Amino acid sequence: MSKRIDYAKASPEGYKAFGGVYTYLQKCGLPKELIDLVYLRVSQINGCAYCIDMHSRDLLKHGLAVEKLVLVQVWHESGDVFSARERAALAWAETVTNVAATAIPDDDYAAAAAEFSDKELADLTYAIGLMNAFNRLGVGFRMPPAAAGKA
């Protein structure tokens, strides 16, 4: 895989605008670990190696147990490893990311709304949308994961 362009250098104002959303999400009130779990799950769905690598490293660096990290992709089969809020966030991330296939059914919305306030759900959806956008940049421009430099 060869990198195509450095989108941050090619369009620094666009990158800065995305950075503003990222910065907001860091202080929106949702736990950082929850947002990072959602970032990872969205990146897994979209197949963005760069983002999967980055968010996995971030989660490990901030103390997430490796046993939990390796189960993110199969969270729905992981019993009580994930809290009810984490499961709701991961389910919401999946239905929103796969919007073309799911159309985000009322039942999916109701399940998420049962765990999160209106503001929290809006912020969670901003996080999902942001990561979907970053995944398209990462995959589209073939951003290599940090791990690729260590091979």
Side-chain angles (χ1 to χ4, degrees), residues 80-115:
D80 293 333
V81 171
F82 296 92
S83 70
R85 278 177 61 93
E86 288 169 336
R87 289 192 303 271
L90 292 167
W92 186 245
E94 289 182 1
T95 196
V96 171
T97 297
N98 293 312
V99 65
T102 68
I104 310 175
D106 289 342
D107 288 349
D108 291 357
Y109 172 77
E115 288 292 334

mmCIF file of all heavy atoms in Angstrom, residues 80-115:
data_model
loop_
_atom_site.group_PDB
_atom_site.id
_atom_site.type_symbol
_atom_site.label_atom_id
_atom_site.label_comp_id
_atom_site.label_asym_id
_atom_site.label_seq_id
_atom_site.Cartn_x
_atom_site.Cartn_y
_atom_site.Cartn_z
ATOM 1 N N ASP A 80 -20.682 -9.689 29.552
ATOM 2 C CA ASP A 80 -20.632 -8.488 30.377
ATOM 3 C C ASP A 80 -19.308 -7.729 30.282
ATOM 4 O O ASP A 80 -19.028 -6.875 31.122
ATOM 5 C CB ASP A 80 -20.893 -8.856 31.841
ATOM 6 C CG ASP A 80 -22.320 -9.332 32.053
ATOM 7 O OD1 ASP A 80 -23.201 -8.928 31.282
ATOM 8 O OD2 ASP A 80 -22.541 -10.117 32.996
ATOM 9 N N VAL A 81 -18.502 -8.032 29.274
ATOM 10 C CA VAL A 81 -17.231 -7.324 29.116
ATOM 11 C C VAL A 81 -17.473 -5.833 28.917
ATOM 12 O O VAL A 81 -16.738 -4.997 29.413
ATOM 13 C CB VAL A 81 -16.416 -7.919 27.940
ATOM 14 C CG1 VAL A 81 -15.197 -7.066 27.617
ATOM 15 C CG2 VAL A 81 -16.005 -9.350 28.262
ATOM 16 N N PHE A 82 -18.552 -5.504 28.198
ATOM 17 C CA PHE A 82 -18.898 -4.112 27.925
ATOM 18 C C PHE A 82 -20.124 -3.730 28.751
ATOM 19 O O PHE A 82 -21.061 -4.515 28.895
ATOM 20 C CB PHE A 82 -19.171 -3.910 26.430
ATOM 21 C CG PHE A 82 -17.962 -4.166 25.590
ATOM 22 C CD1 PHE A 82 -17.724 -5.430 25.060
ATOM 23 C CD2 PHE A 82 -17.037 -3.166 25.340
ATOM 24 C CE1 PHE A 82 -16.586 -5.692 24.306
ATOM 25 C CE2 PHE A 82 -15.901 -3.411 24.581
ATOM 26 C CZ PHE A 82 -15.675 -4.675 24.070
ATOM 27 N N SER A 83 -20.109 -2.507 29.290
ATOM 28 C CA SER A 83 -21.241 -2.019 30.072
ATOM 29 C C SER A 83 -22.448 -1.793 29.160
ATOM 30 O O SER A 83 -22.324 -1.777 27.928
ATOM 31 C CB SER A 83 -20.871 -0.696 30.755
ATOM 32 O OG SER A 83 -20.764 0.342 29.779
ATOM 33 N N ALA A 84 -23.595 -1.577 29.773
ATOM 34 C CA ALA A 84 -24.812 -1.316 28.991
ATOM 35 C C ALA A 84 -24.646 -0.070 28.127
ATOM 36 O O ALA A 84 -25.051 -0.045 26.965
ATOM 37 C CB ALA A 84 -26.009 -1.163 29.924
ATOM 38 N N ARG A 85 -24.024 0.971 28.673
ATOM 39 C CA ARG A 85 -23.794 2.198 27.882
ATOM 40 C C ARG A 85 -22.821 1.941 26.740
ATOM 41 O O ARG A 85 -23.013 2.458 25.642
ATOM 42 C CB ARG A 85 -23.286 3.335 28.773
ATOM 43 C CG ARG A 85 -24.425 4.039 29.499
ATOM 44 C CD ARG A 85 -23.942 5.112 30.442
ATOM 45 N NE ARG A 85 -23.211 6.210 29.860
ATOM 46 C CZ ARG A 85 -23.757 7.361 29.452
ATOM 47 N NH1 ARG A 85 -25.057 7.547 29.540
ATOM 48 N NH2 ARG A 85 -23.012 8.320 28.992
ATOM 49 N N GLU A 86 -21.775 1.176 27.002
ATOM 50 C CA GLU A 86 -20.830 0.861 25.928
ATOM 51 C C GLU A 86 -21.512 0.048 24.832
ATOM 52 O O GLU A 86 -21.311 0.327 23.643
ATOM 53 C CB GLU A 86 -19.622 0.089 26.491
ATOM 54 C CG GLU A 86 -18.695 0.937 27.325
ATOM 55 C CD GLU A 86 -17.665 0.133 28.082
ATOM 56 O OE1 GLU A 86 -17.891 -1.078 28.350
ATOM 57 O OE2 GLU A 86 -16.626 0.717 28.437
ATOM 58 N N ARG A 87 -22.313 -0.928 25.216
ATOM 59 C CA ARG A 87 -23.034 -1.727 24.216
ATOM 60 C C ARG A 87 -23.992 -0.852 23.402
ATOM 61 O O ARG A 87 -24.086 -0.988 22.184
ATOM 62 C CB ARG A 87 -23.782 -2.887 24.889
ATOM 63 C CG ARG A 87 -22.850 -3.979 25.394
ATOM 64 C CD ARG A 87 -23.589 -5.255 25.799
ATOM 65 N NE ARG A 87 -24.616 -5.038 26.817
ATOM 66 C CZ ARG A 87 -24.411 -5.088 28.127
ATOM 67 N NH1 ARG A 87 -23.207 -5.329 28.607
ATOM 68 N NH2 ARG A 87 -25.420 -4.891 28.960
ATOM 69 N N ALA A 88 -24.679 0.055 24.070
ATOM 70 C CA ALA A 88 -25.590 0.958 23.360
ATOM 71 C C ALA A 88 -24.821 1.863 22.401
ATOM 72 O O ALA A 88 -25.256 2.100 21.266
ATOM 73 C CB ALA A 88 -26.393 1.788 24.353
ATOM 74 N N ALA A 89 -23.675 2.359 22.838
ATOM 75 C CA ALA A 89 -22.857 3.232 21.980
ATOM 76 C C ALA A 89 -22.311 2.468 20.782
ATOM 77 O O ALA A 89 -22.301 2.986 19.653
ATOM 78 C CB ALA A 89 -21.711 3.843 22.792
ATOM 79 N N LEU A 90 -21.855 1.251 21.001
ATOM 80 C CA LEU A 90 -21.311 0.451 19.908
ATOM 81 C C LEU A 90 -22.414 0.058 18.917
ATOM 82 O O LEU A 90 -22.205 0.089 17.695
ATOM 83 C CB LEU A 90 -20.594 -0.781 20.459
ATOM 84 C CG LEU A 90 -19.302 -0.462 21.233
ATOM 85 C CD1 LEU A 90 -18.829 -1.686 22.012
ATOM 86 C CD2 LEU A 90 -18.205 0.045 20.296
ATOM 87 N N ALA A 91 -23.588 -0.268 19.424
ATOM 88 C CA ALA A 91 -24.716 -0.591 18.538
ATOM 89 C C ALA A 91 -25.106 0.637 17.720
ATOM 90 O O ALA A 91 -25.370 0.531 16.512
ATOM 91 C CB ALA A 91 -25.906 -1.098 19.357
ATOM 92 N N TRP A 92 -25.152 1.797 18.374
ATOM 93 C CA TRP A 92 -25.492 3.037 17.670
ATOM 94 C C TRP A 92 -24.433 3.345 16.608
ATOM 95 O O TRP A 92 -24.753 3.731 15.487
ATOM 96 C CB TRP A 92 -25.640 4.179 18.673
ATOM 97 C CG TRP A 92 -26.119 5.465 18.073
ATOM 98 C CD1 TRP A 92 -25.421 6.635 18.004
ATOM 99 C CD2 TRP A 92 -27.392 5.726 17.477
ATOM 100 N NE1 TRP A 92 -26.186 7.604 17.394
ATOM 101 C CE2 TRP A 92 -27.399 7.074 17.063
ATOM 102 C CE3 TRP A 92 -28.525 4.947 17.242
ATOM 103 C CZ2 TRP A 92 -28.495 7.660 16.432
ATOM 104 C CZ3 TRP A 92 -29.619 5.528 16.610
ATOM 105 C CH2 TRP A 92 -29.598 6.868 16.216
ATOM 106 N N ALA A 93 -23.167 3.144 16.957
ATOM 107 C CA ALA A 93 -22.087 3.371 15.997
ATOM 108 C C ALA A 93 -22.247 2.480 14.767
ATOM 109 O O ALA A 93 -22.037 2.928 13.635
ATOM 110 C CB ALA A 93 -20.729 3.114 16.657
ATOM 111 N N GLU A 94 -22.635 1.238 14.984
ATOM 112 C CA GLU A 94 -22.804 0.313 13.859
ATOM 113 C C GLU A 94 -23.976 0.719 12.968
ATOM 114 O O GLU A 94 -23.847 0.749 11.746
ATOM 115 C CB GLU A 94 -22.988 -1.120 14.370
ATOM 116 C CG GLU A 94 -21.719 -1.695 14.931
ATOM 117 C CD GLU A 94 -21.852 -3.140 15.400
ATOM 118 O OE1 GLU A 94 -22.954 -3.731 15.272
ATOM 119 O OE2 GLU A 94 -20.838 -3.683 15.889
ATOM 120 N N THR A 95 -25.122 1.040 13.555
ATOM 121 C CA THR A 95 -26.292 1.361 12.737
ATOM 122 C C THR A 95 -26.108 2.690 11.997
ATOM 123 O O THR A 95 -26.523 2.821 10.852
ATOM 124 C CB THR A 95 -27.594 1.324 13.560
ATOM 125 O OG1 THR A 95 -28.702 1.267 12.669
ATOM 126 C CG2 THR A 95 -27.738 2.480 14.516
ATOM 127 N N VAL A 96 -25.463 3.668 12.642
ATOM 128 C CA VAL A 96 -25.225 4.956 11.984
ATOM 129 C C VAL A 96 -24.172 4.815 10.886
ATOM 130 O O VAL A 96 -24.331 5.355 9.787
ATOM 131 C CB VAL A 96 -24.833 6.040 13.018
ATOM 132 C CG1 VAL A 96 -24.362 7.316 12.338
ATOM 133 C CG2 VAL A 96 -26.009 6.331 13.950
ATOM 134 N N THR A 97 -23.112 4.076 11.158
ATOM 135 C CA THR A 97 -22.055 3.880 10.150
ATOM 136 C C THR A 97 -22.595 3.135 8.938
ATOM 137 O O THR A 97 -22.240 3.440 7.801
ATOM 138 C CB THR A 97 -20.859 3.130 10.772
ATOM 139 O OG1 THR A 97 -20.317 3.962 11.807
ATOM 140 C CG2 THR A 97 -19.790 2.831 9.747
ATOM 141 N N ASN A 98 -23.481 2.186 9.173
ATOM 142 C CA ASN A 98 -24.058 1.383 8.081
ATOM 143 C C ASN A 98 -25.411 1.932 7.631
ATOM 144 O O ASN A 98 -26.281 1.171 7.207
ATOM 145 C CB ASN A 98 -24.202 -0.072 8.534
ATOM 146 C CG ASN A 98 -22.865 -0.722 8.742
ATOM 147 O OD1 ASN A 98 -21.983 -0.632 7.904
ATOM 148 N ND2 ASN A 98 -22.692 -1.380 9.884
ATOM 149 N N VAL A 99 -25.597 3.237 7.680
ATOM 150 C CA VAL A 99 -26.879 3.877 7.425
ATOM 151 C C VAL A 99 -27.498 3.462 6.091
ATOM 152 O O VAL A 99 -28.711 3.304 6.000
ATOM 153 C CB VAL A 99 -26.767 5.420 7.536
ATOM 154 C CG1 VAL A 99 -25.862 5.991 6.464
ATOM 155 C CG2 VAL A 99 -28.138 6.063 7.500
ATOM 156 N N ALA A 100 -26.706 3.248 5.060
ATOM 157 C CA ALA A 100 -27.268 2.866 3.760
ATOM 158 C C ALA A 100 -27.981 1.518 3.846
ATOM 159 O O ALA A 100 -28.976 1.296 3.157
ATOM 160 C CB ALA A 100 -26.179 2.817 2.694
ATOM 161 N N ALA A 101 -27.487 0.642 4.687
ATOM 162 C CA ALA A 101 -28.103 -0.683 4.837
ATOM 163 C C ALA A 101 -29.165 -0.710 5.932
ATOM 164 O O ALA A 101 -30.156 -1.435 5.820
ATOM 165 C CB ALA A 101 -27.026 -1.723 5.144
ATOM 166 N N THR A 102 -28.962 0.069 7.003
ATOM 167 C CA THR A 102 -29.870 -0.019 8.152
ATOM 168 C C THR A 102 -31.008 0.984 8.122
ATOM 169 O O THR A 102 -32.066 0.724 8.699
ATOM 170 C CB THR A 102 -29.110 0.209 9.477
ATOM 171 O OG1 THR A 102 -28.676 1.583 9.545
ATOM 172 C CG2 THR A 102 -27.926 -0.740 9.627
ATOM 173 N N ALA A 103 -30.798 2.140 7.538
ATOM 174 C CA ALA A 103 -31.744 3.271 7.583
ATOM 175 C C ALA A 103 -32.024 3.689 9.032
ATOM 176 O O ALA A 103 -32.987 4.383 9.309
ATOM 177 C CB ALA A 103 -33.034 2.974 6.839
ATOM 178 N N ILE A 104 -31.207 3.249 9.954
ATOM 179 C CA ILE A 104 -31.301 3.553 11.380
ATOM 180 C C ILE A 104 -32.741 3.389 11.894
ATOM 181 O O ILE A 104 -33.474 4.352 12.084
ATOM 182 C CB ILE A 104 -30.741 4.951 11.717
ATOM 183 C CG1 ILE A 104 -29.343 5.126 11.082
ATOM 184 C CG2 ILE A 104 -30.674 5.146 13.228
ATOM 185 C CD1 ILE A 104 -28.751 6.510 11.240
ATOM 186 N N PRO A 105 -33.128 2.149 12.125
ATOM 187 C CA PRO A 105 -34.504 1.865 12.567
ATOM 188 C C PRO A 105 -34.861 2.526 13.893
ATOM 189 O O PRO A 105 -33.989 2.822 14.712
ATOM 190 C CB PRO A 105 -34.531 0.346 12.712
ATOM 191 C CG PRO A 105 -33.279 -0.174 12.139
ATOM 192 C CD PRO A 105 -32.309 0.954 12.038
ATOM 193 N N ASP A 106 -36.148 2.720 14.101
ATOM 194 C CA ASP A 106 -36.645 3.311 15.348
ATOM 195 C C ASP A 106 -36.190 2.521 16.570
ATOM 196 O O ASP A 106 -35.879 3.111 17.609
ATOM 197 C CB ASP A 106 -38.172 3.395 15.330
ATOM 198 C CG ASP A 106 -38.696 4.439 14.357
ATOM 199 O OD1 ASP A 106 -37.913 5.335 13.944
ATOM 200 O OD2 ASP A 106 -39.887 4.361 13.992
ATOM 201 N N ASP A 107 -36.136 1.209 16.464
ATOM 202 C CA ASP A 107 -35.693 0.394 17.605
ATOM 203 C C ASP A 107 -34.240 0.696 17.978
ATOM 204 O O ASP A 107 -33.898 0.715 19.163
ATOM 205 C CB ASP A 107 -35.836 -1.095 17.299
ATOM 206 C CG ASP A 107 -37.289 -1.563 17.290
ATOM 207 O OD1 ASP A 107 -38.175 -0.789 17.723
ATOM 208 O OD2 ASP A 107 -37.532 -2.697 16.843
ATOM 209 N N ASP A 108 -33.385 0.921 16.977
ATOM 210 C CA ASP A 108 -31.984 1.262 17.247
ATOM 211 C C ASP A 108 -31.890 2.616 17.947
ATOM 212 O O ASP A 108 -31.127 2.789 18.898
ATOM 213 C CB ASP A 108 -31.169 1.286 15.953
ATOM 214 C CG ASP A 108 -30.976 -0.087 15.342
ATOM 215 O OD1 ASP A 108 -31.428 -1.097 15.929
ATOM 216 O OD2 ASP A 108 -30.365 -0.161 14.252
ATOM 217 N N TYR A 109 -32.694 3.571 17.464
ATOM 218 C CA TYR A 109 -32.716 4.890 18.098
ATOM 219 C C TYR A 109 -33.225 4.784 19.534
ATOM 220 O O TYR A 109 -32.633 5.358 20.461
ATOM 221 C CB TYR A 109 -33.584 5.871 17.304
ATOM 222 C CG TYR A 109 -33.782 7.165 18.047
ATOM 223 C CD1 TYR A 109 -32.768 8.114 18.090
ATOM 224 C CD2 TYR A 109 -34.959 7.399 18.752
ATOM 225 C CE1 TYR A 109 -32.928 9.286 18.809
ATOM 226 C CE2 TYR A 109 -35.128 8.570 19.474
ATOM 227 C CZ TYR A 109 -34.114 9.514 19.497
ATOM 228 O OH TYR A 109 -34.273 10.664 20.219
ATOM 229 N N ALA A 110 -34.285 4.057 19.739
ATOM 230 C CA ALA A 110 -34.864 3.924 21.077
ATOM 231 C C ALA A 110 -33.864 3.297 22.048
ATOM 232 O O ALA A 110 -33.764 3.729 23.205
ATOM 233 C CB ALA A 110 -36.146 3.097 21.018
ATOM 234 N N ALA A 111 -33.124 2.307 21.593
ATOM 235 C CA ALA A 111 -32.129 1.657 22.453
ATOM 236 C C ALA A 111 -31.030 2.639 22.851
ATOM 237 O O ALA A 111 -30.602 2.669 24.013
ATOM 238 C CB ALA A 111 -31.541 0.438 21.745
ATOM 239 N N ALA A 112 -30.576 3.444 21.899
ATOM 240 C CA ALA A 112 -29.542 4.434 22.203
ATOM 241 C C ALA A 112 -30.095 5.538 23.102
ATOM 242 O O ALA A 112 -29.446 5.958 24.074
ATOM 243 C CB ALA A 112 -28.975 5.016 20.910
ATOM 244 N N ALA A 113 -31.295 6.003 22.801
ATOM 245 C CA ALA A 113 -31.916 7.076 23.577
ATOM 246 C C ALA A 113 -32.221 6.641 25.014
ATOM 247 O O ALA A 113 -32.301 7.489 25.912
ATOM 248 C CB ALA A 113 -33.182 7.559 22.886
ATOM 249 N N ALA A 114 -32.355 5.345 25.237
ATOM 250 C CA ALA A 114 -32.599 4.848 26.597
ATOM 251 C C ALA A 114 -31.353 4.957 27.469
ATOM 252 O O ALA A 114 -31.458 5.005 28.701
ATOM 253 C CB ALA A 114 -33.068 3.387 26.542
ATOM 254 N N GLU A 115 -30.182 5.004 26.868
ATOM 255 C CA GLU A 115 -28.923 5.054 27.612
ATOM 256 C C GLU A 115 -28.284 6.441 27.648
ATOM 257 O O GLU A 115 -27.458 6.711 28.520
ATOM 258 C CB GLU A 115 -27.907 4.068 27.014
ATOM 259 C CG GLU A 115 -28.224 2.617 27.279
ATOM 260 C CD GLU A 115 -28.087 2.235 28.751
ATOM 261 O OE1 GLU A 115 -27.320 2.868 29.497
ATOM 262 O OE2 GLU A 115 -28.782 1.286 29.160
#
